[in-house]
Amino acid sequence: MSTAKKFAGQTAIYGTTTVVQRLLSSLLTPLYTRAYDPKVYSVFSTLYSYAAVLQALLAFGMETTFFRYLNKHPDQKRQVYNNSFWVVFLVTIFFLLFAVPFIHTIAGFIKIGERTSQAEFERYIKYFLCILVVDAWCAIPFAKLRADGRPLKYGVAKLVNIFVMVGLNLIFIWVLPYIVNHNIAGAEWIKTWFVKGWVGYVFISNLVASIVTLLLLLPELLKLQLSFDKVMFKNMFAYSWPVMIAGLSYIVNENFDKILLGKLLPANISEQEVGIYSACARISVFLSLFNQAFRMGAEPFFFSHAKNKNAGYTYAKIMDYFVITMCVMFLGVVANIQILKHYVNNPAYWVGLGVVPPLLLGYVSLGIYTNLSIWYKLSDQTRYGLYISGIGAVLTIVLNVIFIPIYSYMASAWISLAAYASMMIMSYIWGQKNYPIPYNLKKNVAYIVISIVLVYLSFSVFHRNIFIGNGLLLLFGLGTLYAERNQLKAILKR
C-alpha cells in the first residue's frame, strides 16, 4: 500500500469515528439551548472549560510521548505502555488527594453569577472530579489501540461513550419530563426523585458514559504490568512535560475566554454573556471537528514516516490539501450561517452570531499550527511547543483581561484568532530554522487571504445572504480546482 493511501485510510477510519462521535455530541447543543436559557447554559459551559484545563494537566502529555517512544523503542512497546499509564495514574491520585479536601473552596472560586447556589456547585464539582479521573485512565489505552492499528475497537469504544452520553441526556431532558407532563405510567414514581430542569443530569450522563468506556477498555488495562523503567521514565518525563505545558496552553487558549468572561463581567450579566458566547461558539465546531479528526490520523502517521527519505515533501503536500479543505469549510459555514444558526435552537442566543467568523478563522490557524508542530515533536525539541503555546496562552489571558470589560465576548472571539494566528506564525518561523519542510508558503497564504475576503463579503457586506454566500463558495471552489488542475491530474493517473 502506498504512503498516501495508508495515510488516507488511517485518517478516514479515525476521522469517521471522530466525526460521528462529534456529530452525535453536537446534537446535545440544540437540546441544551432549547431546554436551558443562556444563564443555565453558562453553568456547564464554565465547568467544562475548567475541566478541559485540568484534563490536559492530568494527561501529562503522555499520549504524544507514548507515540514518540514507541517509535524510538519499538522493541520495548510493553514497557512504554506501562510507563505511560502509571505516570497518568499517579498524577490522578495526587490530584484527588489535593482536590477533595478543598471542594468548598474550589466551588467558591469557580462559581459565577447569582443563580446557582454554592452547595449546587460543590455537588457538580464532585461529579467532575470523577469524570476527569476516569477519562484520564482511558487516555493511554485509547492511544495503545491507535498505535496497535485497531481502529475498529477504538471506534466502538468511542461511539459507545457518546451513545450512552447522548441517550442519557435525552432521557433526563426530554423523555422523563414528557412522561411526567403527560402522566404516563410511572410518572408518580419519577416525580419522587426527578428534578425538572436540573443541569446536574448533564454531568451524571457524562460520568456514566466515562465509566462504561473504562469498562470497555478493561482488556487493555489488564495487559498492564506493575513494571516501571526509571531510566526510560526520566527520558519520557523530559519529553512529556513541555508537551503537557504546551497542551495546557492550548486548552487555555480554547477555554479561558469563557472562564474570564464569567469573572470579569458584572455578576448581573456574566451568566447571560457566557451562555450566549459558549452556544454561538459551538457553531464553529465543524472546523474544530475536522481538526481533531485530522490530528487523530495524522500524528501516528507523521511519526511512523519520519525516517522516510521524502518525508518532508509528503508533509508539505498534506499541508497543501489541508489548507484548501479548511478554507472551503471556513467559507461553507459562513455562507450557510442563516441555516446553521438553528443549530443553536433558541433565538435568545443569536445576538452572538458575530463571534463565528473570527472563531472559524482561529480554527484554520490552529489546524495549520497542528500540522506545523510536527517539526519539534520529530526533532525532540518539544520545548518549542512550550514556548509557542505559552506565548499564545499569555496573549489570551492578558488581552482578555484588558478587553473583555469593554467589548465582552466579541473581544474573546478576536483574541482567540490573534492567539492561534501568532502560534501558527511562530511555529512556521522556528520550524524552518530547526527542521525545514518545503511548505508552499505563497500558495497557502493566497488561499487563506482569498477565503478571508470572501467571508467578509458574505457575512458583512451581503449581510449573510445564503445565495450570495454560496455563490462565493462556488467561485472559490472552481478557482481552486483550476489552480490545482495539474496536481489533480497527477493524482488521478496514479
Side-chain angles (χ1 to χ4, degrees):
M1 183 181 291
S2 70
T3 296
K5 288 182 179 178
K6 186 173 181 180
F7 173 75
Q10 213 174 57
T11 303
I13 295 171
Y14 290 115
T16 300
T17 298
T18 303
V19 167
V20 172
Q21 183 191 17
R22 292 293 296 272
L23 284 175
L24 289 171
S25 177
S26 297
L27 293 176
L28 295 174
T29 297
L31 181 69
Y32 292 155
T33 52
R34 186 176 181 85
Y36 306 122
D37 64 36
K39 290 184 177 181
V40 176
Y41 188 82
S42 71
V43 172
F44 58 83
S45 64
T46 297
L47 285 167
Y48 274 110
S49 295
Y50 278 103
V53 175
L54 291 170
Q55 197 170 43
L57 186 63
L58 295 179
F60 208 71
M62 275 295 149
E63 185 179 3
T64 298
T65 304
F66 172 76
F67 285 119
R68 179 56 177 157
Y69 272 75
L70 282 181
N71 179 253
K72 291 181 72 172
H73 303 284
D75 56 330
Q76 300 183 58
K77 291 182 178 181
R78 185 179 292 274
Q79 193 57 60
V80 173
Y81 180 48
N82 290 333
N83 272 23
S84 301
F85 180 82
W86 292 122
V87 168
V88 174
F89 182 82
L90 289 173
V91 169
T92 58
I93 297 303
F94 282 118
F95 168 71
L96 287 176
L97 290 174
F98 281 99
V100 171
F102 300 102
I103 285 177
H104 179 79
T105 304
I106 294 169
F109 175 78
I110 291 177
K111 183 178 179 297
I112 66 168
E114 303 165 336
R115 182 161 181 162
T116 308
S117 68
Q118 170 81 7
E120 279 297 287
F121 256 90
E122 290 180 27
R123 191 174 179 184
Y124 299 155
I125 288 168
K126 290 175 184 177
Y127 295 141
F128 268 94
L129 292 180
C130 296
I131 292 167
L132 286 167
V133 169
V134 174
D135 285 350
W137 291 348
C138 292
I140 300 303
F142 268 128
K144 184 177 184 298
L145 291 176
R146 290 166 60 197
D148 290 346
R150 291 190 286 168
L152 291 179
K153 187 167 184 179
Y154 174 94
V156 168
K158 286 287 186 180
L159 292 177
V160 167
N161 173 281
I162 198 60
F163 277 126
V164 173
M165 174 81 169
V166 173
L168 288 176
N169 270 279
L170 288 171
I171 289 170
F172 285 125
I173 296 175
W174 183 68
V175 175
L176 293 182
Y178 184 86
I179 292 173
V180 170
N181 293 339
H182 293 81
N183 287 315
I184 298 172
E188 292 304 317
W189 174 74
I190 293 171
K191 288 177 184 178
T192 61
W193 59 269
F194 180 69
V195 181
K196 185 179 179 181
W198 184 54
V199 74
Y201 293 127
V202 174
F203 311 139
I204 292 173
S205 301
N206 194 339
L207 177 57
V208 173
S210 295
I211 292 171
V212 169
T213 304
L214 185 67
L215 293 175
L216 289 174
L217 293 172
L218 202 55
E220 303 307 314
L221 293 169
L222 292 174
K223 294 176 184 177
L224 288 161
Q225 297 175 329
L226 290 173
S227 171
F228 201 78
D229 187 319
K230 292 181 180 178
V231 175
M232 182 184 289
F233 165 71
K234 185 177 179 181
N235 293 328
M236 291 176 76
F237 180 83
Y239 183 91
S240 68
W241 76 263
V243 175
M244 183 269 288
I245 298 297
L248 187 62
S249 300
Y250 157 70
I251 298 297
V252 166
N253 294 335
E254 189 78 358
N255 294 278
F256 239 60
D257 49 3
K258 303 172 189 69
I259 293 171
L260 291 173
L261 278 169
K263 292 296 180 183
L264 297 174
L265 293 175
N268 63 325
I269 65 167
S270 60
E271 289 175 311
Q272 181 81 5
E273 298 288 276
V274 171
I276 290 171
Y277 177 63
S278 300
C280 288
R282 295 291 296 169
I283 296 175
S284 62
V285 72
F286 301 102
L287 264 69
S288 173
L289 185 155
F290 179 76
N291 267 339
Q292 185 178 355
F294 180 86
R295 187 184 70 82
M296 297 299 287
E299 192 170 70
F301 174 85
F302 285 152
F303 280 123
S304 65
H305 287 77
K307 296 176 183 178
N308 287 7
K309 183 179 179 180
N310 296 321
Y313 174 79
T314 301
Y315 300 157
K317 295 307 295 181
I318 290 171
M319 175 68 86
D320 290 345
Y321 301 132
F322 180 85
V323 168
I324 291 169
T325 303
M326 290 294 281
C327 288
V328 169
M329 294 179 70
F330 177 34
L331 271 163
V333 172
V334 174
N336 294 283
I337 198 167
Q338 289 297 86
I339 295 173
L340 294 174
K341 71 180 183 182
H342 294 281
Y343 170 66
V344 181
N345 197 17
N346 188 333
Y349 292 87
W350 294 349
V351 65
L353 287 176
V355 305
V356 175
L359 288 174
L360 289 171
L361 185 54
Y363 278 122
V364 173
S365 302
L366 176 62
I368 295 170
Y369 166 71
T370 301
N371 270 269
L372 293 170
S373 68
I374 196 64
W375 73 264
Y376 63 73
K377 294 175 182 176
L378 290 175
S379 60
D380 291 340
Q381 300 182 74
T382 52
R383 66 184 185 278
Y384 281 99
L386 171 60
Y387 302 153
I388 295 166
S389 298
I391 292 170
V394 170
L395 280 174
T396 296
I397 294 170
V398 171
L399 294 178
N400 270 294
V401 169
I402 294 172
F403 291 108
I404 279 177
I406 306 172
Y407 300 107
S408 187
Y409 53 72
M410 284 305 302
S412 296
W414 284 100
I415 291 165
S416 177
L417 167 58
Y420 288 139
S422 300
M423 290 165 60
M424 173 184 68
I425 293 167
M426 285 186 288
S427 186
Y428 177 78
I429 293 171
W430 275 333
Q432 293 304 97
K433 288 181 179 179
N434 292 279
Y435 193 94
I437 295 174
Y439 294 119
N440 197 328
L441 180 63
K442 290 182 180 179
K443 183 174 76 170
N444 290 332
V445 169
Y447 280 128
I448 294 168
V449 170
I450 292 168
S451 69
I452 291 171
V453 172
L454 295 180
V455 162
Y456 174 75
L457 292 172
S458 176
F459 192 88
S460 299
V461 176
F462 296 110
H463 307 292
R464 296 178 284 184
N465 182 290
I466 190 170
F467 300 106
I468 295 177
N470 280 288
L472 295 172
L473 172 62
L474 179 62
L475 181 65
F476 182 84
L478 293 173
T480 300
L481 287 173
Y482 180 78
E484 300 294 324
R485 63 191 183 281
N486 293 329
Q487 292 292 333
L488 291 171
K489 288 177 181 177
I491 292 172
L492 293 173
K493 287 180 181 179
R494 291 175 187 174

